[in-house]
């Protein structure tokens, strides 16, 4: 089978020929149709992600495809079934072995591109806003990096959950996409004063932050008492140092979220979230925004779209038809 692998850190992926893997107990073999790319993939290539698999390894955190073989002890799945899964790795290949307990059945209404664009982006935002922050109707949600893969889903879900959504992104074209996703207020991070605008709107009750750096610092100072801040990534390259005195004086709650960690210690959080999100998709309430779909051989070009921030929403690699 073909696989796009990281063979050396900070180098382009290499197209390799590998043996088709065999599923072990509790695992399934999936013929991969599509793979969604994520900012975490760029960190894996650099060797700076929270997890560091041994070289060489096949990149690709989330995939959609068809189950072709079952390992021992697998219940609830069958061969020929369409699934999506957060695999962590292995998605940029013709076949992948993934744990059965993280697979989610794809409804007939969901095409493979949407399925590969769905789990991490919507899953991260749903777990962050619902499970962690307990976002309530009428609260004011500030989304940083709002036009990106996860940010745009936070705008969409926040609006669906009844919040007043403030979207912060770079440039008018990206802000227009945020408006189309349901944002009530727009902030251009290149020219606007985030703190001043958010405070004028009444302050933030929840801050969703995949960016870090100076944006986090500005957002923190625009929070209302008892606001919840969700640091869940550092696309700026700067991990903000959170001053405990401000957290104390303003009675703030900083809720760290490594969404992928739940796969290991509480996978039910993810699968419950996926089912709720898929129900919303089937009901027509959610629609992934995919800006680019490229073939497996162009996976490096697809990753560059993320690296250069030329993509909005998701980038998906089509592995097979």
């Amino acid at each position: 089978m073909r696989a796009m692998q990281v063979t050396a850190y900070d180098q382009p992926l290499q197209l390799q020929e590998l043996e088709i893997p065999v599923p072990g107990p509790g695992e399934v073999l999936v013929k991969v149709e599509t793979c969604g790319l994520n900012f975490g993939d760029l960190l894996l290539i650099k060797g700076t992600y929270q997890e560091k698999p041994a070289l060489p390894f096949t990149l690709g955190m989330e995939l959609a495809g068809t189950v072709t073989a079952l390992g021992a002890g697998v219940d609830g799945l069958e061969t020929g079934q369409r699934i999506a899964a957060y695999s962590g790795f292995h998605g940029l290949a013709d076949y992948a072995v993934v744990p059965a307990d993280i697979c989610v059945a794809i409804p007939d209404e969901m095409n493979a591109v949407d399925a590969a664009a769905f789990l991490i982006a919507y899953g991260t935002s749903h777990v962050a806003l619902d499970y962690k922050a307990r976002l309530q109707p009428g609260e004011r949600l500030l989304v940083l990096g709002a036009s990106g893969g996860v940010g745009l889903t936070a705008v969409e879900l926040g609006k669906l959950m009844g919040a007043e959504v403030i979207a912060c992104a770079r440039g008018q074209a990206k802000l227009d996409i945020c408006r189309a996703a349901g944002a009530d207020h727009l902030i251009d991070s290149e020219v606007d004063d985030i703190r001043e605008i958010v405070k004028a709107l009444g302050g933030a009750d929840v801050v969703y932050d995949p960016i870090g750096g100076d944006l986090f610092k500005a957002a923190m100072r625009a929070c209302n008492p008892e606001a919840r801040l969700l640091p869940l990534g550092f696309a700026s390259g700067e991990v903000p140092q959170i001053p405990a005195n401000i957290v104390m004086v303003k009675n703030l709650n900083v809720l760290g979220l490594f969404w992928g960690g739940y796969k290991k210690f509480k996978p039910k959080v993810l699968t419950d979230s996926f089912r709720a999100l898929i129900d919303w998709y089937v009901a027509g309430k959610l629609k992934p925004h995919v800006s680019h779909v490229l073939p497996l051989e162009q996976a490096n070009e697809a990753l560059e779209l993320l690296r250069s921030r030329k993509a909005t929403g998701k980038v998906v690699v089509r592995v097979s038809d």
Side-chain angles (χ1 to χ4, degrees), residues 136-181:
Q136 299 299 308
E139 289 192 309
R140 197 169 293 109
L141 168 67
L142 171 60
V143 181
L144 306 179
S147 67
V150 292
L152 203 59
T153 62
V155 172
E156 194 175 357
L157 287 173
K159 193 64 178 176
L160 187 58
M161 295 167 71
E164 180 183 345
V165 180
I166 308 168
C168 179
R170 183 183 297 178
Q172 190 58 51
K174 292 183 177 181
L175 289 173
D176 289 342
I177 293 171
C178 297
R179 180 187 288 110

Side-chain angles (χ1 to χ4, degrees), residues 299-318:
N300 284 308
E301 290 91 329
L303 288 161
E304 184 57 31
L305 291 169
L306 294 184
R307 191 178 290 112
S308 63
R309 300 188 183 182
K310 292 181 180 177
T312 55
K314 293 287 289 190
V315 176
V316 170
V317 171
R318 186 178 292 281

Side-chain angles (χ1 to χ4, degrees), residues 33-107:
E33 186 173 349
T34 50
C35 176
L37 298 185
N38 296 274
F39 182 76
D41 291 313
L42 301 179
L43 300 180
L44 280 163
I45 291 171
K46 295 176 68 174
T48 59
Y49 192 61
Q50 293 94 326
E51 299 177 74
K52 196 171 182 179
L55 295 171
F57 64 90
T58 301
L59 200 68
M61 291 185 169
E62 61 184 328
L63 59 86
T66 303
V67 175
T68 59
L70 306 176
V74 173
D75 292 318
L77 292 173
E78 57 188 34
T79 57
Q81 186 171 8
R82 297 176 67 235
I83 62 94
Y86 167 65
S87 57
F89 317 103
H90 316 306
L92 289 175
D94 289 318
Y95 289 88
V97 164
V98 298
D101 63 1
I102 62 166
C103 294
V104 180
I106 301 173

